[in-house]
Amino acid sequence: MCGIVGCIGQQNLIPFLLESLEKLEYRGYDSAGIAVHNGDNIEIYKAQGKLENLKNLLNDTFKNDKNLKSGIGHIRWATHGAPNQINAHPHSSFEEKVSIVHNGIIENYKELKKELTEKGFEFKSQTDTEVIAHLLEDCIKDENNYSNAIRTALKKLDGAYALGIIFKDNPEILYAARKCAPLILGVGEDSNFIASDVPALLDYTKRVIYLEDNQIAVIKGSSYQIMDIDGNILDKKPEILPWEPVTISKMGYKHFMLKEIHEQPDVIRQTLFDKLHTVSDPLVLKEVKLTKETLEQLDRIQIIACGTSLHAALVGKYLIEEFTGIPVDVEASSEYIYKRTVISKNSITIGVSQSGETADTLTAIRQAKDNGSHVLVITNRPDSTMARQADSMIPVNAGFEVSVAATKSYSAQLMAFYLLAIYLAEVKNTLSEEYIEDLKKELIQLPQKIEMILSNKDKIQDCAVKFHNTKNFIYIARGINYPVALEGALKLKEISYINATGYPAGELKHGPIAMLDETIPVLAILVPGKVYEKVLSNSEESKARNANMIAVTSEDNEHLEAVFDYIITIPRTNEVFSPILTTIPLQLLAYYIAEFLGKDIDQPRNLAKSVTVE
Ligand code: F6R
């Protein structure tokens, strides 16, 4: 959460700060701010709300000022203190000698605030960040140089930080530091940069250094030095990014979410491209570095993830157990990290994360790794902290996802699990060759089947019209589609703010059925297979309580018509692959309901795309 940027030596300083913050808007959008050094003083501009408000605050003469020395910028997702202008970053020290931008959380800020207040420092904001600014000013008084002061201050902080720091009396240097929050140094020709994430820098440089925990960068316009927290100088060379600048365009769609939903067929083709060559050849997962011996002995898997990635993991559990018989435990990362870490002997740990930066999942996989587990990461960001710390990876190739609500990255994660489950079945010989070939044939047909759903959205839009004023929504399914019910409900909650809950269909009668009446729609996912009849009879039970019934199904028959008010049909597929198809109407339904309600679909309130605080 929160995005930070910084720059020194760049003539177009303000355009850099604003353009790079725009690329980080997915990290937060409560408020934005910049601090620039004009050679004599630090000037600060902040605005509540979206970046656009900050842009409107700055006049053109200032925006084009070529004489500014250095600058830092911030886009906020509030943790401590309301999202208002006072709490917006950058924050300055008492005598305004230091200005900083911060991503992360300082856990001991209350103790530090007390100490600093006793020393006479006055606080203006409710943020944890402000203590760092005052602490730095306090440390400069005692230290003979700026990096020593920074090191002394950082040693007093507990928690996570990515920091950009400028000092009033030292205009030629920009400082940066990192612990448990992402931070990159971009190396240019006569200017250098910092940013929380790569897209912010790609228009300016492709030469980057990923700072590691407890590292400090001392950055001038044409040189830089990296040291550890004890002041030892480190030899870190830039790596060249293989990517082109990210064009953030809606390509004619009204929202990024709708565009990303429509990209899913191609995302799936792309995921299969280098892994599934022919149906008779074994799958190629070249970044999975598990030895043959480990794979043969593998008898347990634990998967850790959050949010939508957790739902993909639940589908993954079903698949791996179904195809290989290996027991799989799935746990929310935020729960995993506060229990005893139990790693069984022949097990591996899988972390699933679109961003590869989610703090809870990062901590969880570190714990698993520290306890001796092989860690495999399924991520859309092969350059992320998680990917760098993992032993193995399955990159999911969904491309840059702008909308805060995950859609195409989720489908790509599901594909990663299909490939992994089949791969394990091939290595461990748990399925017949014929069945594996059939599975692969079906996989190849999935993109076309999604295209069929996307080209026929009328029924979904009808449902959205009918139910957009509903206060409560229930999603039910069983088996492999149960996680899809959870995901459908999450999508609706996130972007429309309607209360939606996913249940295993069989659980309805154990309590939730008490809520049902004519005001509540129940959406049931039912595809032919092991649980079709059961979900149908649970739907009948709901119908008998006057609920409005919606089906997402590949069937179309009189029996369904008698139970359901709306039937959204999807193409037929093997039950195990149905989550890839059943997900699409649920994403669209959430989208159209939120659109009818006029919500801020791509940037829903209170959310951010990369959740880097625990
Ligand atoms: C929902 C959503 C979130 C994320 C969750 C984990 O649409 O995007 O629930 O899935 O914050 O994020 P990652 O996958 O980046 O670890």
Side-chain angles (χ1 to χ4, degrees), residues 1 305-311 333 352-359 361 378-379 386 401 403-407 409 413 487 490-491 494-495 607-611:
M1 324 236 145
C306 303
T308 290
S309 299
L310 182 66
H311 299 153
S333 315
V352 193
S353 175
Q354 180 279 129
S355 63
E357 300 292 348
T358 300
T361 308
I378 294 177
T379 182
M386 240 178 258
E401 193 174 59
S403 170
V404 165
T407 52
S409 62
Q413 287 168 347
E487 176 58 11
L490 178 64
K491 284 288 93 83
E494 280 183 294
I495 60 170
L607 295 178
K609 186 131 193 88
S610 183
V611 186

Side-chain angles (χ1 to χ4, degrees), residues 285-291 374 376 391-393:
L285 299 184
K286 61 178 189 302
E287 289 92 349
V288 173
K289 308 271 188 256
L290 290 159
T291 60
H374 179 106
L376 185 157
D391 301 298
S392 287
M393 178 169 55

Side-chain angles (χ1 to χ4, degrees), residues 252-271:
Y253 288 98
K254 192 167 174 194
H255 295 97
F256 282 107
M257 183 178 177
L258 192 59
K259 169 180 167 251
E260 287 158 6
I261 290 174
H262 282 81
E263 282 172 350
Q264 291 176 108
D266 283 342
V267 164
I268 289 175
R269 288 187 186 104
Q270 185 64 28
T271 305

